[in-house]
């Protein structure tokens, strides 16, 4: 089973700052990695698929990069609505999937 | 636009079987895609439980495989989850989803509490 490890567990930043979230896989997942945003009481929302492709309707301040085992989600300038929990998810052995444990992005 | 809606008991007793159904609208299950279940214990992360292809092939999380059954009813355009021998550790919000390589389309989720 491929394990995804996200860091940091919690990130405290202010609106307008740049956020960098990391996801590391226990073995290569090629570019088969997605990022989701989840707000309290809501289902997760897809932000990025296949490591670097923004989903429909996702603002350009969200970007993804990486391949193999190391991936990054960057939010270039934080908006108040961006404070949430972020999960990475891999599909390299599709249709089996796994999620990371999440990074909580909180207002400083 | 596809929509998914979970239904089932919100309270299950320990050692019993948790049963949930996901009703799909706006898309015919028999037309394709994988359909699956994901859960989230209160305050914790997401865990994939398993998926079923429209043809009926199933794939389960190895950590839950011995207790999980996912089935599909194309005549009702719905699919179901059964999780046996539940304990308090199975208390979670259970989401159904349509799975493709590019994205998951989620239901709103339903909270299931395991308690006597």
């Amino acid at each position: 089973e491929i394990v995804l490890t996200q860091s940091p567990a919690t990130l405290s930043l202010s609106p307008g700052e740049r956020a960098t979230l990391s996801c590391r896989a226990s073995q290569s997942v090629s570019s088969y990695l997605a990022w989701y945003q989840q707000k309290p009481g809501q289902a997760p929302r897809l932000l990025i698929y296949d490591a670097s492709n923004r989903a429909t309707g996702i603002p350009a301040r969200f970007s993804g990069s990486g391949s193999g085992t190391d991936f990054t989600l960057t939010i270039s300038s934080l908006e108040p609505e961006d404070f949430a929990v972020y999960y990475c998810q891999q599909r390299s052995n599709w249709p089996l999937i796994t999620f990371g444990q999440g990074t909580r992005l909180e207002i400083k | 636009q596809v929509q998914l809606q979970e239904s089932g008991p919100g309270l299950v007793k320990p050692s019993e079987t948790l049963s949930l159904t996901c009703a799909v609208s706006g898309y015919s299950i028999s037309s394709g895609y994988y359909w699956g279940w994901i859960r989230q214990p209160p305050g914790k992360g997401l865990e994939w439980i398993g998926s079923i292809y429209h043809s009926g092939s199933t794939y389960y999380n190895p950590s839950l495989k011995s207790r999980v059954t996912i089935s599909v009813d194309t005549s009702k355009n719905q699919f179901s989850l059964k999780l046996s021998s539940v304990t308090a550790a199975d208390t979670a919000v259970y989401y159904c989803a349509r799975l493709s390589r590019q994205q998951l389309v989620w239901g709103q989720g339903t909270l299931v509490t395991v308690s006597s």
Side-chain angles (χ1 to χ4, degrees):
Chain A
E1 177 185 343
I2 297 174
V3 176
L4 298 178
T5 302
Q6 293 186 240
S7 61
T10 302
L11 184 58
S12 300
L13 294 170
S14 301
E17 290 193 294
R18 181 184 186 90
T20 303
L21 287 68
S22 174
C23 178
R24 175 165 290 179
S26 59
Q27 63 190 78
S28 177
V29 298
S30 186
S31 294
Y32 302 139
L33 190 107
W35 290 94
Y36 286 83
Q37 176 194 68
Q38 187 180 33
K39 296 181 178 179
Q42 298 182 15
R45 176 177 73 141
L46 177 68
L47 300 174
I48 301 288
Y49 66 92
D50 290 348
S52 61
N53 297 286
R54 267 191 308 276
T56 301
I58 301 304
R61 66 181 181 273
F62 291 91
S63 63
S65 63
S67 66
T69 61
D70 291 300
F71 299 86
T72 300
L73 174 69
T74 301
I75 311 172
S76 59
S77 179
L78 286 165
E79 298 287 342
E81 63 267 27
D82 298 336
F83 292 92
V85 180
Y86 292 82
Y87 294 95
C88 56
Q89 172 247 314
Q90 66 82 24
R91 63 168 181 89
S92 74
N93 48 348
W94 178 259
L96 279 68
I97 63 173
T98 55
F99 293 91
Q101 83 279 16
T103 290
R104 180 179 303 277
L105 179 56
E106 63 177 25
I107 299 176
K108 187 173 182 178
Chain B
Q1 181 179 352
V2 64
Q3 293 186 315
L4 300 94
Q5 179 67 57
E6 305 88 351
S7 63
L11 181 64
V12 181
K13 290 182 167 56
S15 80
E16 294 190 344
T17 296
L18 178 160
S19 297
L20 295 173
T21 296
C22 182
V24 179
S25 58
Y27 187 85
S28 173
I29 286 180
S30 59
S31 294
Y33 287 105
Y34 289 87
W35 305 86
W37 293 92
I38 295 152
R39 69 180 183 178
Q40 184 171 37
K44 296 188 178 181
L46 300 162
E47 180 180 36
W48 172 73
I49 299 170
S51 299
I52 187 165
Y53 196 46
H54 66 95
S55 62
S57 299
T58 53
Y59 305 84
Y60 298 133
N61 185 324
S63 68
L64 297 169
K65 186 174 184 177
S66 63
R67 299 194 291 131
V68 174
T69 302
I70 296 176
S71 59
V72 65
D73 186 340
T74 54
S75 67
K76 295 182 178 179
N77 213 39
Q78 64 186 34
F79 60 102
S80 299
L81 168 71
K82 291 188 185 298
L83 180 66
S84 64
S85 304
V86 298
T87 70
D90 296 309
T91 293
V93 174
Y94 285 76
Y95 294 98
C96 61
R98 187 182 77 176
L99 296 89
S100 68
R101 284 178 169 80
Q102 280 68 47
Q103 71 169 343
L104 278 62
V105 177
W106 304 71
Q108 66 182 28
T110 187
L111 174 64
V112 179
T113 301
V114 178
S115 175
S116 56

